[in-house]
Structure formats: C-alpha cells, structure tokens
Amino acid sequence: MNIASVTNMRLKFPGKESLLFSDFSLSIKEGEKVLILGPSGCGKSTLLQVLSGLIPKTVDVPMKADEITVPHSWGYLFQDPDAQFCMPYVDEEIAFVLENLEVPREKMPDCITSYLRQVGLAFENNHTKISTLSGGMKQRLALASVLALEPEVIFLDEPTAMLDPDGTTQVWDTIKQIGDDKTLIIIEHKIDQIVDVVDRIILLGKNGNIIAEGPKQVIFEGYKQKLKEAGIWYPGVWDDYLEENQPDRTIEPVNNQPPAITLSDFSGYRGKKEIVHIDYAEARLGEWITVIGENGAGKSTLLLALMNLVQSAGTYDINGRDHKKVTNFAEEMAFVFQNPEYQFVTNSVYDEVAFTLRLEKREEAEISSRVSDSLHFYQLEEEQDNHPYQLSIGQKRRLSVAASLIKDQPILLLDEPTFGQDAKNTFAILEQLEQVRKRGAAILMVTHDTKVVEHFATRVWQLEDGKLIKNVPASEYPQEPVHA
Ligand SMILES: Nc1ncnc2c1ncn2[C@@H]1O[C@H](COP(=O)(O)OP(=O)(O)OP(=O)(O)O)[C@@H](O)[C@H]1O
Ligand SMILES: [Mg+2]
C-alpha cells in the first residue's frame, strides 16, 4: 500500500525561471526505508515537504499534481536544530506533543524521561532551557518529540548534519531501533552510517528528475559513474578522491613571523559563564587547525571569542599584537558562523558576496568579476538574484563561505563550513581552503568530519568540556575508527 505518493507533480518557486519539478511521480510503500540522494539544491527538501503535505498546506508554494497521498501520522526532523521547537524548555517541548495526544498529566514526567533516554539524553532536571543545549543535543531532543508522536512515517532531512560523530551514531542507532515498523524517508549527504537501514534509493539529478531508483546494491554498483558525475556521496567516495588527489599537508616555514594567534590563559564566555578556557595555544600562518570535540564542548564559543563576538578574558594576540589594539577584526580575519543565516546582511546572493568589497570601495568592475568567479565556483550563479533565505541549506552554507572568503584575510575562523554539502561541493570548499592556506593563511576550522581531520588538517585541537585536551600535529592524531 502506498503511504506517500505523488503523480505528475509540477512545482515552481515564485521568482524562479524554471520549474523545480515537472511531471514528477514517486510512490512510497508502507514500511519502506527510502533514501533520497541528489546534489545540493536539486529539490530533495522540497520533495520531502510535498510528500508530507507541508507543501502546499503549510508552506504556500504553487504546485499541481494529478494525485497526492500523504500519510495520516508523521513526524519530521529538519536540518536546522533551531527551526523545530515550539516551547522554551525540554520537558515542555515533549509535553506539548503528549498533550495533543491526550496523555494523562501524571504519566508525563516518566514518558518524557523515557523518550529522552531513547535518544541518549539525560538531564538532571528535564526543565532545562532548550536555548542552552548544543546543536547536537537539540537534534536529539527534536527526535524525541517526533518519537512521542508515535508516527507511522518519519521524514528525516539531514538530521545529523550538525552532530558530532558520537551524536550522529546515537541518532542513527536510535532511528534503526525505533524504525522497524515505521516508514522512513531519509535525505542525507553523509550516508556511511545509514546505508544498512535503507532498502531503496531514489537518485535525483540536478534538475529534480529521477535518474534512477531501486535497491541500494543496484544503485551503488550500477550507477557509480552517475553518482560520481553528479558529485553525490557514495560508499568509497573518499578513496576515489584520494586516488586522484593527494592533499599535501606540509607547512612552509614562515620566518620571523609571530603566530597568527597566540592565546594564554584565555577564556571565552556566554553571558557571565566561562565556557572555554585555554592555558596556552598558538596558531601559525600556514597551519590548518581542525577544532574537534563533542557537541557542547565549546568549539563555537572559542571561535566567537576569537572574533570578539562574545566576551573573553586573558591574553590574546593577533599577529603579535594585543587584540585590544585591533579596531576592526574583520580586517584581520574571516568568519563563518555555524548557522549561515546569522551571517546574511543583504537581500540577494550577489550582494551578499559583494558586500565586503563594496565596503572597501573597490571598483565595480573588479567587484563584478570577483563575485562572478566566486558564484561560479560555489555553483550559485543561478541563484544570484535570489534572497539568501530562499536557498537550500547547502546553498546557504556555500554562500556564507563565499561571502567570508572573498576578502582574502590572513586568518580564517570557520565553524563547520562543509556541513550539508554534497561530495563535489565539499571537495571544492576544501580545495579552496587548501589554496588559501598554501598562500600563507592560518585556518581554524570546527568540524565533525573525521575525514577532513585525517586528510586536510595540519594540526588538531581537541576540546572537551571547554578545555583544550589535545593540541598535536595532525599526523600524530589517532585516526578515528571509520563508521562503515
Ligand atoms: N522558498 C523558496 N523560494 C525560492 N526558491 C527556493 C525556496 N526554497 C528552495 N528554493 C530553491 O529550490 C531549489 C531546491 O531547494 P531544496 O532545498 O529542495 O534543495 P535540496 O536538494 O534539499 O538541497 P540541499 O542538499 O542543499 O539541502 C534550490 O534551487 C533553492 O534555491
Ligand atoms: Mg535540503
């Protein structure tokens, strides 16, 4: 029995020149575990919203179809952990769902704790503010409220894009445990941990067309070349990449230059609370330092403190100068926020990339040529007149990277610049960063991607509970077990 389906769908976003989907048909049977693969921006998230009925019921997008079937009960897990909560507190968030299902009040506290436990969350007090949770914890909380719905279909739109490796494993393990009797419709770029759950793959092309569909063995074996051409992740993509490209991790010695960043007895705060403390560390020009650590370890706070966006204390020198003497941090360093939307300041993709060049009063001709090059490199040309908020998640991430790297500052502070990307764009971003590093920049990059640590970093900083517990050359960093 079809639990979700659409026949001959046509869909066009207002303001777009062409249809995102034309004559698109797909049906999903009860109990199936389906993975939708496709390059960034091809329409995967939009399709999921159609199959759940969110489009056009809640999200008003012009579309037509001969027939649409949507499931009776479903839960949805989105890419962005911040986008899915109705209540300010953990217990209230799940209670909100339970109330709608008319669960008696006295049963609620136990129910809440049990759903939280299923997703690996345990709080001393469940009345904890959601805003104090890390991205990964939020994502597990969101899954707990989906579970509370006891839905027949769960839609998952890259739910682990922002999670640390442990968090990712926990979420997928949970989904495997609870998913047996449910229909799962999954979008995910990083597929290593989920392929064993999935029994059918739908492969979408750049224009939202179905290139292939079938059992996973058939797709991965029979369509490998297509996956490769489209720049989509498949098992073994890193091996294939490394065969053709060997990232060089040597550092050119820079003579008589002070470190790009020197930290001594340095603390970063959120409000009045000290979140991260570093006894001593340096970042030198030409280094690519990956900052790793569990969700909540203080990685983003460290970067925000270095960019002077949250309060800090202690010694912090930039290129040998006390940071207090630096009047404009943006002159010295580029910054990529964990959440791309926090970064956008204009109303179009083009203007976003041009923004800092215009502040510098560059010639329009130079601006135009640099911006065009950058938009081409990041596959955003077709989006240049659109509002940044109208982009797909992967496109937003690329836009935020493009906009912050356009100025060519010598220090880059990047908070998960590759999350939510297909393979092609991930490698494009990594290769551009590698070029910038080779030109002598210092890169400090938060990432959960152990492959990036293994193949691109020159040094690793590992944070745990706000302390720098490891600061070693990448070659000495123990290789993480690869999740097969
Ligand atoms: N609200 C909107 N208004 C206009 N265009 C939109 C809107 N939302 C999405 N789009 C466009 O529709 C296309 C498909 O977006 P969608 O989010 O479905 O892609 P995706 O395959 O999920 O990409 P990703 O892998 O990056 O998440 C993109 O070109 C995007 O810019
Ligand atoms: Mg998407």
Side-chain angles (χ1 to χ4, degrees):
M1 203 183 82
N2 287 342
I3 202 158
S5 71
V6 19
T7 313
N8 288 333
M9 170 180 51
R10 302 159 64 75
L11 181 150
K12 183 171 167 297
F13 278 110
K16 280 285 170 83
E17 275 175 19
S18 52
L19 292 168
L20 179 58
F21 293 107
S22 52
D23 297 328
F24 183 96
S25 301
L26 176 68
S27 54
I28 288 160
K29 294 204 169 38
E30 200 176 337
E32 272 194 306
K33 322 282 184 243
V34 177
L35 172 64
I36 300 172
L37 286 181
S40 171
C42 76
K44 302 180 297 296
S45 298
T46 309
L47 175 60
L48 224 57
Q49 292 177 50
V50 169
L51 291 173
S52 64
L54 276 176
I55 292 179
K57 225 183 272 164
T58 319
V59 186
D60 185 19
V61 178
M63 63 159 293
K64 277 191 187 135
D66 294 352
E67 175 268 2
I68 301 181
T69 312
V70 300
H72 291 296
S73 70
W74 48 266
Y76 213 120
L77 209 56
F78 292 92
Q79 285 170 318
D80 181 355
D82 283 317
Q84 32 200 351
F85 301 111
C86 315
M87 309 296 284
Y89 289 91
V90 168
D91 52 350
E92 291 176 358
E93 182 64 30
I94 298 176
F96 178 75
V97 177
L98 298 175
E99 254 165 42
N100 282 331
L101 299 172
E102 296 177 12
V103 172
R105 218 148 243 293
E106 63 277 11
K107 287 201 172 154
M108 281 196 188
D110 285 349
C111 252
I112 290 170
T113 305
S114 139
Y115 285 120
L116 290 172
R117 201 178 301 134
Q118 282 191 51
V119 296
L121 289 176
F123 299 100
E124 249 168 56
N125 180 352
N126 289 342
H127 196 62
T128 294
K129 266 210 169 107
I130 296 177
S131 60
T132 64
L133 305 184
S134 69
M137 292 161 91
K138 283 180 186 162
Q139 208 57 328
R140 277 181 264 164
L141 172 62
L143 183 59
S145 14
V146 166
L147 293 179
L149 284 167
E150 306 278 347
E152 48 180 347
V153 178
I154 305 183
F155 294 98
L156 302 143
D157 191 348
E158 289 188 64
T160 61
M162 297 178 118
L163 301 199
D164 58 42
D166 281 352
T168 303
T169 307
Q170 280 181 31
V171 168
W172 287 122
D173 282 353
T174 312
I175 290 167
K176 285 172 201 171
Q177 279 165 26
I178 52 95
D180 246 3
D181 59 334
K182 297 194 192 308
T183 309
L184 302 180
I185 309 181
I186 305 169
I187 298 173
E188 190 54 76
H189 285 295
K190 303 290 179 67
I191 54 174
D192 283 358
Q193 296 203 43
I194 50 157
V195 275
D196 54 332
V197 185
V198 171
D199 36 50
R200 178 172 163 222
I201 291 180
I202 319 275
L203 178 56
L204 297 185
K206 199 165 168 278
N207 303 317
N209 52 318
I210 296 181
I211 297 183
E213 60 168 313
K216 62 184 168 202
Q217 296 80 356
V218 174
I219 301 295
F220 288 135
E221 283 160 25
Y223 290 86
K224 190 163 165 187
Q225 197 50 35
K226 286 252 189 272
L227 290 161
K228 213 170 171 178
E229 278 163 23
I232 298 168
W233 295 105
Y234 53 85
V237 74
W238 268 97
D239 294 338
D240 287 355
Y241 178 79
L242 293 168
E243 227 167 68
E244 288 158 28
N245 308 269
Q246 263 307 329
D248 166 15
R249 295 198 291 177
T250 53
I251 305 169
E252 298 291 326
V254 190
N255 291 328
N256 305 323
Q257 289 259 34
I261 288 174
T262 313
L263 302 174
S264 172
D265 223 357
F266 178 78
S267 301
Y269 295 83
R270 290 286 174 108
K272 290 205 165 60
K273 189 166 174 221
E274 183 187 280
I275 302 286
V276 59
H277 182 94
I278 292 190
D279 292 338
Y280 186 83
E282 292 174 359
R284 298 207 153 255
L285 293 169
E287 279 193 306
W288 181 331
I289 299 172
T290 47
V291 182
I292 62 168
E294 288 180 7
N295 286 124
K299 305 179 296 296
S300 295
T301 306
L302 172 62
L303 258 53
L304 289 164
L306 295 178
M307 195 63 193
N308 208 27
L309 293 171
V310 298
Q311 217 181 334
S312 66
T315 305
Y316 169 24
D317 292 347
I318 300 170
N319 296 317
R321 255 169 85 210
D322 185 345
H323 76 283
K324 293 196 190 80
K325 299 211 176 88
V326 174
T327 46
N328 187 354
F329 278 70
E331 284 297 323
E332 313 284 333
M333 37 184 97
F335 194 83
V336 167
F337 282 84
Q338 181 168 25
N339 184 338
E341 290 190 2
Y342 292 168
Q343 209 173 308
F344 299 143
V345 287
T346 71
N347 294 321
S348 87
V349 168
Y350 185 97
D351 290 345
E352 198 60 39
V353 182
F355 184 74
T356 51
L357 299 179
R358 284 180 176 150
L359 280 185
E360 289 178 348
K361 306 230 172 349
R362 304 279 178 138
E363 299 282 333
E364 250 335 290
E366 183 199 341
I367 294 178
S368 151
S369 110
R370 283 173 66 175
V371 173
S372 304
D373 284 353
S374 170
L375 293 177
H376 175 73
F377 184 82
Y378 287 103
Q379 299 195 45
L380 290 169
E381 281 160 315
E382 288 171 23
E383 310 296 331
Q384 64 173 333
D385 298 327
N386 288 338
H387 195 283
Y389 279 54
Q390 291 177 332
L391 300 179
S392 78
I393 295 268
Q395 290 167 337
K396 281 180 189 161
R397 174 77 299 177
R398 298 205 293 287
L399 176 59
S400 67
V401 172
S404 30
L405 295 191
I406 193 89
K407 206 170 132 92
D408 237 351
Q409 295 97 324
I411 302 173
L412 313 184
L413 306 176
L414 314 171
D415 204 340
E416 300 191 49
T418 61
F419 90 76
Q421 295 307 320
D422 56 31
K424 187 177 192 173
N425 282 301
T426 301
F427 292 128
I429 293 172
L430 292 172
E431 283 169 17
Q432 191 187 30
L433 293 176
E434 180 64 7
Q435 275 178 22
V436 176
R437 178 183 85 78
K438 284 267 174 61
R439 290 205 297 268
I443 301 176
L444 226 64
M445 167 176 168
V446 173
T447 186
H448 291 304
D449 190 333
T450 52
K451 291 287 192 187
V452 175
V453 178
E454 197 181 318
H455 299 293
F456 282 89
T458 64
R459 177 169 287 278
V460 180
W461 289 5
Q462 184 174 0
L463 289 178
E464 193 178 288
D465 289 335
K467 300 272 179 309
L468 187 62
I469 57 160
K470 214 171 245 168
N471 176 359
V472 293
S475 53
E476 287 171 27
Y477 190 75
Q479 289 191 1
E480 298 283 322
V482 181
H483 300 289

